Amino acid sequence: MTAPAPVHPVDEVPPVRQLAAFGLQHVLAMYAGAVAVPLIVGGAMKLSPADLAYLITADLLVCGIATLIQCVGFWRFGVRLPIMQGCTFAAVSPMVLIGTTGGGLPAIYGSVIVAGLAIVLLAPVFGRLLRFFPPLVTGTVILIIGVSLLPVAGNWAAGGAGSKDFGEPKNLGLALFVLLVVLGVQRFAPAFLSRIAVLIGIAVGLAVAIPFGFTDFGGVGDADWVGISTPFHFGAPAFHASAVISMLVVALVTMTETTGDLIAVGELTGRGVEPRSLADGLRADGLSTVLGGVFNTFPYTAYAQNVGLVGMTRVRSRWVVAAAGGILVLLGLLPKLGAVVAAIPAPVLGGAGLVMFGTVAASGLRTLAQVDFKDNHNLTVVAVSVAVGMLPVGVPTVYEKFPDWFQTVMNSGISAGCLTAIVLNLLFNHLPVRAGSVPEAGGLPAGGGEQGVEQSREEVV
């Protein structure tokens, strides 16, 4: 009898207890980011506490559904990799502008539905662009993703942006304690426990935070036991041309970000993303965004923070993240459970986030180690791309005098750095070489050095 074909780690199904533990770990890693978007948009529009709570539960429900579509997949929807889905921050500014200038939530949801349909239609086009993402570009993008997320972990560690005790030593001390617990579990615990080091660190940090008054569980008692999101709760969608155009720009940004995240997860899991699977993943993004517009939430994209968790824990099963999607669905249907998770103090998440986001950046460096930097301009590509990507992270107001569409694209360090890396790689490694620019010793042209460059350059050599 022939031996059964080995199962790829991405398709392995761990035991139920491991699925639950690993899945909960992914939920905790992305929860703060997932609820931040409805809180920001709803707060800017001065919604009532009841409407804000409704936005959050609806968001968690669709987050879970979107994650299941992406991980499990059906037909040509879903990349079938361990990818968590959540609301994109790239859409926050345009949505606040749409919602506060007369359009309200119906105009937001109308533009979100159109943007989702556009993503579904454009997905095959982006899939064919995969050849422009060699290790030089993917490594740079992964590095930018990790570094651009570190300020998020820093804000959490200091107590959460806008908190009254922001930067207090006690907050940073709790974050450091969680970080040390995560590192200690990784180094000294058995293999299974080391893979849930982040979950253990958060649990221990929460246990320490409660007696010291870091958290308040008062919101748990006020939350409902059951909450069901209904389509078009805030009214039928409205389609305003200006709102639709601004959200289409957001769609292009989120497609670029998702492409970088999908390639990063493909690198980490050993299952490289192909043009067809990339199109499938983007198509799932579009479908999830349409569902967001129908069920009163926002555009969806792959969450980079969970990419770091995959790299750190080395748990590559997509069914683990599918379990996380199931947990999010429960949190969306049971608001009281969501209130428990929401009570976790920001410094606890910050200590864990420093490890996870740093892991993403380190993974980018590992990918860049495959690139030849000798006698070519590849170092320039990386240097300028990282600089452009970090500019809005280090100076958030740098583009505030520019048009809204430009801010939407460039205020995201990930999309700005990704676009820069693609353009510079094309400029130095794909465009034909001018006569006389080829080294006499038979080496590569002055802009070369990357494997798989265009035929025009090979002919010059």
Side-chain angles (χ1 to χ4, degrees):
M1 294 179 61
T2 58
V7 178
H8 194 281
V10 168
D11 298 319
E12 287 180 349
V13 183
V16 174
R17 66 184 182 91
Q18 293 186 18
L19 274 176
F22 293 149
L24 180 59
Q25 189 169 233
H26 273 282
V27 170
L28 296 178
M30 60 83 68
Y31 188 90
V35 301
V37 174
L39 282 174
I40 295 170
V41 176
M45 296 181 64
K46 296 181 172 53
L47 297 183
S48 67
D51 285 342
L52 268 178
Y54 189 93
L55 279 183
I56 291 172
T57 54
D59 173 39
L60 293 175
L61 174 65
V62 181
C63 273
I65 295 172
T67 299
L68 289 169
I69 293 172
Q70 194 69 275
C71 295
V72 179
F74 68 93
W75 190 52
R76 298 296 303 277
F77 291 85
V79 72
R80 295 168 176 82
L81 286 173
I83 290 286
M84 287 291 290
Q85 298 284 107
C87 285
T88 173
F89 283 86
V92 170
S93 296
M95 289 192 300
V96 169
L97 189 65
I98 295 168
T100 56
T101 54
L105 287 172
I108 291 177
Y109 295 138
S111 63
V112 168
I113 290 171
V114 174
L117 293 173
I119 293 173
V120 172
L121 295 175
L122 290 174
V125 177
F126 260 70
R128 288 194 287 270
L129 298 178
L130 192 60
R131 66 191 184 95
F132 298 118
F133 287 84
L136 174 65
V137 174
T138 58
T140 303
V141 172
I142 297 168
L143 174 61
I144 292 171
I145 290 171
V147 178
S148 65
L149 286 172
L150 287 175
V152 176
N155 280 322
W156 287 346
S163 62
K164 295 180 180 179
D165 60 350
F166 185 85
E168 289 284 345
K170 63 176 185 178
N171 292 333
L172 295 170
L174 179 58
L176 176 61
F177 172 72
V178 172
L179 173 61
L180 293 176
V181 170
V182 172
L183 295 176
V185 171
Q186 270 205 307
R187 174 63 182 85
F188 299 108
F192 168 69
L193 292 179
S194 69
R195 291 179 175 178
I196 56 170
V198 170
L199 179 60
I200 293 173
I202 291 175
V204 173
L206 181 60
V208 171
I210 292 174
F212 286 96
F214 277 91
T215 188
D216 178 16
F217 286 96
V220 178
D222 298 334
D224 295 329
W225 279 104
V226 179
I228 299 176
S229 301
T230 54
F232 307 124
H233 174 80
F234 296 99
F239 301 94
H240 298 172
S242 58
V244 168
I245 291 171
S246 64
M247 204 56 65
L248 288 175
V249 175
V250 171
L252 293 175
V253 173
T254 57
M255 291 179 81
T256 304
E257 289 186 353
T258 297
T259 298
D261 290 332
L262 296 184
I263 292 172
V265 171
E267 295 268 353
L268 292 172
T269 58
R271 175 176 281 179
V273 175
E274 302 294 335
R276 174 168 174 158
S277 57
L278 174 59
D280 292 347
L282 293 172
R283 210 176 273 114
D285 259 17
L287 176 60
S288 302
T289 298
V290 172
L291 291 176
V294 172
F295 286 95
N296 320 293
T297 66
F298 309 112
Y300 285 86
T301 187
Y303 257 28
Q305 45 263 63
N306 295 86
V307 175
L309 192 56
V310 171
M312 177 187 162
T313 61
R314 299 184 297 279
V315 176
R316 296 179 280 177
S317 171
R318 60 191 172 104
W319 298 104
V320 164
V321 180
I327 294 172
L328 285 172
V329 171
L330 281 178
L331 293 177
L333 295 175
L334 304 174
K336 200 172 285 289
L337 283 179
V340 173
V341 178
I344 298 174
V348 173
L349 297 173
L354 288 171
V355 186
M356 295 186 299
F357 304 159
T359 301
V360 178
S363 299
L365 293 175
R366 182 176 60 187
T367 301
L368 287 173
Q370 308 170 23
V371 178
D372 179 17
F373 288 99
K374 186 178 179 181
D375 299 327
N376 55 52
H377 295 293
N378 288 342
L379 192 62
T380 301
V381 175
V382 177
V384 176
S385 302
V386 172
V388 172
M390 290 301 99
L391 196 57
V393 176
V395 190
T397 59
V398 66
Y399 298 123
E400 65 178 7
K401 303 296 185 184
F402 285 75
D404 291 336
W405 66 266
F406 186 89
Q407 292 185 49
T408 300
V409 176
M410 300 302 291
N411 271 343
S412 167
I414 297 173
S415 63
C418 183
L419 290 172
T420 305
I422 294 170
V423 171
L424 292 181
N425 177 55
L426 289 172
L427 175 65
F428 287 115
N429 293 320
H430 286 268
L431 291 181
V433 187
R434 294 192 310 271
S437 64
V438 184
E440 295 181 1
L444 283 172
E450 182 189 335
Q451 292 183 352
V453 293
E454 292 283 337
Q455 183 66 27
S456 58
R457 182 166 288 260
E458 294 172 358
E459 290 171 355
V460 172
V461 176

